Every structure is written in C-alpha cells, then in structure tokens.
Amino acid sequence: MNKFRFRLEVLLDLRKKKEEKIKLTLAEKNHEVLSAVKLVNELHDGLKAFQENEKTSRSEHLDPVMLRYSITYRYALKKKLTDAIRHVDDLKAEAFRIQKELIAATQKRKAVEIVKEKRLIEWKRKNHIVEQNFNDDISQQAFIRNKT
C-alpha cells in the first residue's frame, strides 16, 4: 500500500513556524510589559517614600530652598511615573495586537490541520476498501483452490 502523503505539509510547517515566531514575539513583548510595570512600581514606591520623608523633614524644620528642590524633584518623579505608565499602556496595546496576530495564525494553522485530518480519513477509507478487496480476492482464490 502507498503511504499517506499530504501535499500541503510544507504549508502546514510554514504556518507552524510563523505561529511559533509570533509566540516568541508575544513572550518578548510580555517580558517588556513586566519590566515596565516593575519600573512603574519602583517609581511609585520611590515617590511614596520621598513624600513620607518630606513629611517628617518638614515637620522638623522648614527651609525654603530645600522646599523648592523637593517640589521640583517630586514633579520630576511624577512626570517619570506618568511617562512610565503611558509606556506600559503602549506596550500592552502592542501585546494585544500581537495576540490578535497569534490568534489569526493559529486559525490558519488549524484550517490546514483540519484539511489534513479530512484527507487522512478519506485516505484511510480508500485504503481500507482496497485492502478489503485484496483480502476478498485472496479468500476467493483460496476457496476456489480448495473446492477443486
């Protein structure tokens, strides 16, 4: 009997490779998102610690120059924090876009796999019929030999 050959196997392999490439890209983007979120948390904690430190230092003594510097530094921290949050949002949007690409690539791969499964079932059915006919011929020949 001839072996089952799926002529679209190359296409299936290409689609699997493309899907794997998109998965790697998504993993890298998710890693970037986690790094950016970590930076946001560090900035937030730094701002909170700075504000607590300023509360205690202002209650002890009030220096106008240091007050001006602390306000400038606090605004700089807040700006960095808002920029980092905006960057996280942008990265999450890119990750979502990549995830949509991954879904589309998975659907395309699944479509080719379904075609492959249907052709395999069809090949098995035809192969079974051929084998059954072959077995019937052998059985008939054996019966005719035994009868004569």
Side-chain angles (χ1 to χ4, degrees):
M1 295 293 145
N2 55 354
K3 273 176 58 174
F4 173 71
R5 287 185 305 164
F6 184 58
R7 295 184 191 271
L8 298 176
E9 192 69 38
V10 175
L11 177 66
L12 183 60
D13 290 340
L14 287 174
R15 290 199 174 164
K16 284 181 182 178
K17 286 178 184 177
K18 184 177 180 181
E19 183 181 6
E20 288 299 319
K21 185 178 176 182
I22 293 172
K23 282 181 183 178
L24 289 175
T25 306
L26 181 62
E28 289 173 1
K29 193 57 69 176
N30 284 336
H31 179 69
E32 288 180 27
V33 168
L34 289 176
S35 298
V37 167
K38 184 178 176 184
L39 177 67
V40 166
N41 289 336
E42 289 173 0
L43 287 172
H44 186 265
D45 292 342
L47 180 64
K48 200 175 218 181
F50 176 74
Q51 286 176 341
E52 289 295 322
N53 187 19
E54 283 299 307
K55 277 184 185 178
T56 56
S57 67
R58 285 182 188 170
S59 64
E60 295 172 2
H61 63 285
L62 192 61
D63 185 13
V65 174
M66 293 304 290
L67 182 64
R68 181 175 177 205
Y69 288 149
S70 70
I71 290 172
T72 305
Y73 182 68
R74 187 179 72 220
Y75 281 132
L77 276 178
K78 283 185 178 182
K79 183 171 179 358
K80 283 183 184 178
L81 183 62
T82 56
D83 291 344
I85 290 172
R86 190 173 299 120
H87 183 66
V88 167
D89 290 340
D90 293 343
L91 289 175
K92 284 182 180 180
E94 289 177 26
F96 185 71
R97 181 190 52 78
I98 293 171
Q99 192 172 19
K100 282 185 175 182
E101 287 179 22
L102 178 62
I103 290 170
T106 302
Q107 288 174 343
K108 288 179 181 179
R109 179 189 52 85
K110 281 287 199 183
V112 175
E113 284 180 349
I114 289 171
V115 170
K116 180 180 180 179
E117 289 173 9
K118 287 182 179 181
R119 288 190 184 169
L120 179 63
I121 291 169
E122 182 182 324
W123 177 82
K124 283 181 179 181
R125 189 178 305 125
K126 286 180 181 179
N127 196 28
H128 179 69
I129 291 170
V130 170
E131 286 179 2
Q132 189 66 38
N133 289 339
F134 181 73
N135 289 339
D136 288 345
D137 287 343
I138 291 177
S139 297
Q140 283 178 351
Q141 290 174 2
F143 179 75
I144 291 171
R145 272 190 245 134
N146 289 336
K147 193 173 186 183
T148 56

